[in-house]
Amino acid sequence: MPTTIDKLFPGFTQEQKRNLLFYTIGIMCYKLGLESALGAVKTMMTERFNSNPATSANAFTTLGLLEGLNQLMQSLGSIAVAPLIFRFKTPQVLSAAISFFAAISVVFLVLEPATGGKLVAYITKNGKEVPDPSTYGNWSPYIIFPLFLLIGGAYGIVELIRRVIPRDIVGGDVGKLKKMDATVHIWYEVAGTGGAFFSAFMIQKLGHVYAMCVVPPLFIAAAFSWYQVSSPERNLAKLKDAPKRSAAGAMGHYIAVYFSSIVTGARIIFSSRRFIWLIPGYTLGLVFHRYLENGIAPNFSKIVLGDASYAQIMNGGSNFGELVGALTVFIFNTQIKTPIPWVRWDALVLNLLWLVPCLGYQFLSTGTSPQTFAWMVAGLFMFISMGWAAGDVSLAAYVQSQLEHNEEEELTGEVSPLGAVMAFLYSSYIVLYFGLNFGLGKYLDLYANRVKAIKNDKNLAYQTGIEPFYMIAGVMFSVGCVIIFAGTFIPKGSFAINPEIISDDDVLDAETGKQNTGVEFAQDISDVKK
């Protein structure tokens, strides 16, 4: 008699269910720790650079540069992913990366008390309760640069592997992939929602450094759980004949492989209408979602509300929205067969961000507390992130299933088609995000410095701080909506409200009137290799 688990995961083998359990436990521990780590570090960056006289005038430009460099380090970190998962089992690479992340977080916990840092205290400025900089440890904020860049390297490895490991666990069956992606995403966002709210609480009670005390044990727990996941070893015959290289030679080789994978991924992406729409649908959608959480939330919290820790309240709402979005995909898994409707929903809800600047001054100037308004923004973020999460889960399963044909035939000898495509999409996101963050940092500094110069005029401070967000949260996100929405009409068959199929494999070719087959698609990929 089938159990409840068997009914929830039909067709999954016992080993697949075991792996899914350990992977999900690891993901939850990782997400809980990640929210505490990134929430604390980004609050630390925002507060330290704004409170230090030597860095205050260009604080948001510096923050934009730091965020951009972190993204580049994520790209460099992902250089190692393709060759590493080619040589080692994917869970082992994942466990090693998160253990390194845990070690970096310990550095902050040692540095702060060693330099006289105390638990956070608050002072009043322009009618707002803000953290007292005199409680901070006496160390230069520039120390954050190397540590945050190292965090970026580890984070890049983990995030890229998260997008390709499902095929190792359940194979290429699209139904299993969608079920696994939705299930993992649900628990990931359960942990993320709780982790963000818990992080905000810890930062406000302990300060942005001591709030990281929960990070090392959570990351080590994630590493242990992921290590239990069984995964197939790849290309062992090729490994026996692989040349031995020095450390420098290996680094050069891996960089060459990485850029080769990006080129290969680009060729696959631009070879077919089924893939090219992923640039606006996946990459641009990810850029706007990340800027929502890592740009709008902390910048608005510091410039307008006065305390960067409120960003974690907003991001808690965003994470809850991602949870609801993933649940929606899980429920409508069979009714909505393609990512197209979800991506269109994601594009349209970006326009809701206009409400942040439009309603901000009306509420804040009439007595609404900054913390209360942060909770209101969290509710708005929930609806916006619902659309992104639904699209992200469906797109991940779509990419994995479309590249099923080619896993056995490695395109470059070391990079799978799936790894190449994800490397291209993720690297494109990093480049776009870098430019966006750095450019908008200069723009935000103009208004942030005006707010800092205002004394004892709360409403003027609110009005001045909100002004740049009409352009950023309003105009910019609406332009993103138009581009992403238009991109969903690129694949064949996508003009339907709920397309049945958008793969060239199963639709009639416009020129020949014949049906494209998986064999023909495999031959197309072989041509890309040549």
Side-chain angles (χ1 to χ4, degrees):
M1 182 176 178
T3 64
T4 303
I5 298 297
D6 293 330
K7 292 178 181 177
L8 285 174
F9 300 98
F12 281 64
T13 66
Q14 286 300 119
E15 183 181 26
Q16 288 173 343
K17 285 184 280 190
R18 173 192 174 277
N19 287 338
L20 179 58
L21 174 63
F22 277 111
Y23 180 67
T24 304
I25 292 172
I27 274 289
M28 293 185 71
C29 292
Y30 163 69
K31 185 60 172 175
L32 282 168
L34 184 69
E35 288 296 332
S36 294
L38 295 185
V41 171
K42 290 180 180 181
T43 300
M44 181 194 311
M45 288 158 40
T46 306
E47 294 292 346
R48 299 266 178 161
F49 281 106
N50 274 281
S51 62
N52 191 307
T55 59
S56 179
N58 298 299
F60 289 96
T61 303
T62 305
L63 290 173
L65 176 63
L66 190 52
E67 280 277 0
L69 291 174
N70 177 268
Q71 297 295 320
L72 288 180
M73 282 300 295
Q74 290 184 36
S75 181
L76 291 175
S78 64
I79 286 176
V81 170
L84 283 175
I85 65 175
F86 180 77
R87 287 168 168 76
F88 304 101
K89 291 186 177 181
T90 307
Q92 295 175 350
V93 180
L94 202 53
S95 297
I98 199 61
S99 298
F100 180 72
F101 201 156
I104 299 221
S105 65
V106 173
V107 175
F108 289 108
L109 293 170
V110 173
L111 179 63
E112 184 72 1
T115 55
K118 303 173 185 177
L119 296 181
V120 68
Y122 288 85
I123 57 176
T124 301
K125 183 178 181 181
N126 281 329
K128 297 176 283 190
E129 294 290 317
V130 300
D132 182 3
S134 67
T135 61
Y136 299 163
N138 186 26
W139 50 273
S140 170
Y142 287 109
I143 293 176
I144 298 173
F145 266 84
L147 297 176
F148 194 50
L149 297 189
L150 289 173
I151 285 174
Y155 185 43
I157 292 174
V158 173
E159 287 299 299
L160 187 58
I161 290 179
R162 275 208 316 117
R163 285 161 171 75
V164 299
I165 197 174
R167 278 195 58 81
D168 283 358
I169 295 177
V170 299
D173 183 276
V174 65
K176 289 183 180 181
L177 284 170
K178 290 180 73 174
K179 184 74 72 172
M180 177 180 171
D181 285 337
T183 301
V184 171
H185 206 108
I186 288 167
W187 290 110
Y188 179 80
E189 296 307 338
V190 166
T193 302
F197 291 138
F198 180 68
S199 174
F201 171 79
M202 292 289 283
I203 293 170
Q204 291 171 5
K205 294 299 181 184
L206 302 180
H208 46 248
V209 176
Y210 294 116
M212 297 180 71
C213 62
V214 300
V215 174
L218 285 170
F219 280 175
I220 294 303
F224 176 79
S225 184
W226 282 336
Y227 199 79
Q228 308 307 309
V229 176
S230 59
S231 176
E233 296 185 52
R234 299 180 177 85
N235 303 305
L236 293 182
K238 292 183 181 180
L239 281 177
K240 293 178 182 178
D241 301 325
K244 304 299 181 182
R245 298 183 177 91
S246 65
M251 178 61 71
H253 173 71
Y254 292 162
I255 291 174
V257 167
Y258 174 70
F259 284 105
S260 174
S261 71
I262 292 177
V263 172
T264 300
R267 287 175 177 170
I268 295 174
I269 288 287
F270 289 101
S271 69
S272 171
R273 287 169 60 182
R274 84 176 73 185
F275 295 129
I276 194 171
W277 76 283
L278 295 173
I279 297 174
Y282 182 90
T283 299
L284 198 58
L286 184 58
V287 168
F288 280 102
H289 178 72
R290 288 288 181 256
Y291 193 76
L292 176 75
E293 295 186 338
N294 301 330
I296 298 291
N299 295 339
F300 188 88
S301 296
K302 183 58 183 175
I303 296 174
V304 179
L305 304 183
D307 186 351
S309 69
Y310 291 140
Q312 286 303 98
I313 295 176
M314 300 177 189
N315 287 339
S318 176
N319 289 340
F320 183 70
E322 293 179 34
L323 166 61
V324 176
L327 274 171
T328 305
V329 174
F330 190 87
I331 293 170
F332 294 100
N333 182 38
T334 56
Q335 290 88 345
I336 300 179
K337 300 182 183 300
T338 73
I340 293 287
W342 303 119
V343 176
R344 289 173 181 164
W345 175 21
D346 176 25
L348 292 174
V349 295
L350 291 178
N351 292 293
L352 291 176
L353 211 58
W354 275 100
L355 295 175
V356 173
C358 290
L359 298 181
Y361 183 73
Q362 282 76 5
F363 279 101
L364 293 168
S365 63
T366 54
T368 301
S369 72
Q371 187 172 46
T372 300
F373 190 73
W375 281 102
M376 296 168 66
V377 174
L380 181 65
F381 277 21
M382 179 190 73
F383 285 103
I384 296 172
S385 292
M386 280 173 61
W388 177 80
D392 184 62
V393 169
S394 294
L395 283 169
Y398 171 75
V399 174
Q400 291 157 10
S401 65
Q402 290 298 302
L403 294 170
E404 172 189 356
H405 309 284
N406 312 293
E407 186 180 64
E408 297 302 323
E409 182 183 359
E410 304 292 326
L411 294 185
T412 66
E414 294 198 5
V415 182
S416 70
L418 177 58
V421 165
M422 295 310 299
F424 173 77
L425 293 174
Y426 196 66
S427 298
S428 300
Y429 145 71
I430 288 172
V431 171
L432 289 171
Y433 189 73
F434 179 97
L436 187 69
N437 243 316
F438 184 70
L440 291 179
K442 288 182 173 292
Y443 179 63
L444 286 168
D445 270 327
L446 297 174
Y447 293 90
N449 290 331
R450 295 175 191 173
V451 172
K452 292 170 188 174
I454 296 171
K455 306 294 183 184
N456 302 319
D457 192 336
K458 179 173 66 175
N459 288 346
L460 180 59
Y462 283 141
Q463 184 178 19
T464 305
I466 287 171
E467 189 173 343
F469 291 95
Y470 285 101
M471 183 61 67
I472 297 173
V475 174
M476 187 180 77
F477 273 72
S478 289
V479 171
C481 161
V482 173
I483 296 172
I484 295 171
F485 194 84
T488 63
F489 293 96
I490 294 175
K492 290 182 180 180
S494 60
F495 279 83
I497 295 176
N498 182 20
E500 287 294 316
I501 188 81
I502 58 176
S503 168
D504 295 342
D505 295 8
D506 299 297
V507 297
L508 295 180
D509 185 276
E511 297 181 2
T512 65
K514 297 179 180 180
Q515 190 178 50
N516 266 340
T517 66
V519 173
E520 290 169 343
F521 175 74
Q523 181 61 47
D524 291 341
I525 293 296
S526 180
D527 293 340
V528 168
K529 178 180 69 173
K530 296 174 184 176

